[in-house]
Amino acid sequence: MNQKVLLDKFRATVEDRLPFDYMKKEIYLVKWLRSSNFQPDSAKERLYRHLRWRSEHGIDEKIDLQKDIEGWRSDFLLMFDGRDKSGRPFVLIDLRNFDARRLIQQGKYDQMVRLYEHMIDRACKLGLDYSEKYKNITRGNVLVNLDGFNPQENSCSACIAMMVRNIATFVQNYPECVDKIFIINAPLSIDVLANIAKSAFSEEIRRNIFIYGKDPGVVKEALSQDFNLARLPFSVMGDYTNTANDMIINQNMDQTALQYLNNTRMRLLQAVRQFGLGLRELILKFEIHAIL
């Protein structure tokens, strides 16, 4: 009851400064108050700082986020439309051949940071939308696939600075957005980067970061506790083919041809698993061939 009284007072104090209706709801405001140990002055200062950050970084500007993401397909894939077994939304990040050093050398540092800021805002806003609709859902999960990720290519000083900056942006501006972070297909040499990344997160998030290697049995067993494997793509040890990976195939393709393509892919994947070949590279080659 004391916390409810504090929440009501906090809302009355900050409500006039909040530009959007979703920010005035209890489910949003309590995140700031709770993550500030129910210290209203601290929560208010953090929230106002967040509002200034949104304005300075153009977070609320109208952009075509999906189009922006499509421009980075050769480096990573992103899915926003997943739901886990509990109905919580989850974001799937497939880093594929992500090479931060190369992209920074190409002058894309600011572009990457801006894209990250808009992606995390959309993901956390999605969690709030689910909270409004389903009431019992207050956070989402993140699933990161490191298959193809090379730690050496992402360990330059500017790369690490960008990673820490992005994590700090998330921690400072999106309290209680994420429940768990699952990282799979992690290479053996990921330890240094992982430890740096973990140190930038809050203690609460650090306790809920789970890192798994490339053992399919271990990964499937771990993910099956929270996810329906039938709704996860093959690239993350799932059994579902109609995902963001299929977006590179012409959406106007004849349905008979598309069904044939999917059936062929299923047979190919079964053969690949049987002979233990690299799944991701072969699937990509197959999809590119399908386009050509």
Side-chain angles (χ1 to χ4, degrees), residues 151-288:
Q152 284 70 39
E153 295 174 345
N154 293 273
S155 299
C156 66
S157 58
C159 305
I160 293 175
M162 182 177 66
M163 177 183 69
V164 172
R165 171 182 172 174
N166 288 342
I167 294 174
T169 293
F170 169 72
V171 172
Q172 293 167 6
N173 292 285
Y174 299 96
E176 299 188 2
C177 169
V178 169
D179 184 24
K180 300 176 183 177
I181 299 176
F182 300 88
I183 300 174
I184 66 170
N185 290 319
L188 294 175
S189 54
I190 197 66
D191 287 353
V192 174
L193 273 181
N195 289 332
I196 294 173
K198 282 185 176 181
S199 67
F201 280 111
S202 64
E203 175 60 29
E204 180 189 21
I205 296 177
R206 281 199 295 271
R207 292 196 301 266
N208 291 300
I209 296 177
F210 306 94
I211 301 177
Y212 303 97
K214 298 177 179 290
D215 186 317
V218 173
V219 173
K220 279 201 167 192
E221 175 63 25
L223 293 184
S224 66
Q225 305 302 311
D226 289 86
F227 301 96
N228 181 353
L229 297 182
R231 303 300 298 173
L232 289 179
F234 279 102
S235 61
V236 290
M237 309 296 179
D239 303 311
Y240 189 49
T241 59
N242 189 23
T243 66
N245 288 325
D246 298 312
M247 291 170 61
I248 66 173
I249 299 175
N250 187 348
Q251 295 299 308
N252 296 320
M253 181 182 293
D254 177 82
Q255 289 302 305
T256 301
L258 184 57
Q259 183 62 47
Y260 173 79
L261 180 59
N262 284 333
N263 290 341
T264 304
R265 180 195 291 174
M266 290 287 288
R267 291 194 296 271
L268 176 62
L269 287 168
Q270 290 170 358
V272 167
R273 281 177 171 167
Q274 182 178 357
F275 289 100
L277 300 177
L279 278 174
R280 186 183 60 82
E281 291 80 2
L282 200 53
I283 293 172
L284 279 175
K285 289 178 181 178
F286 179 68
E287 291 178 332
I288 292 171

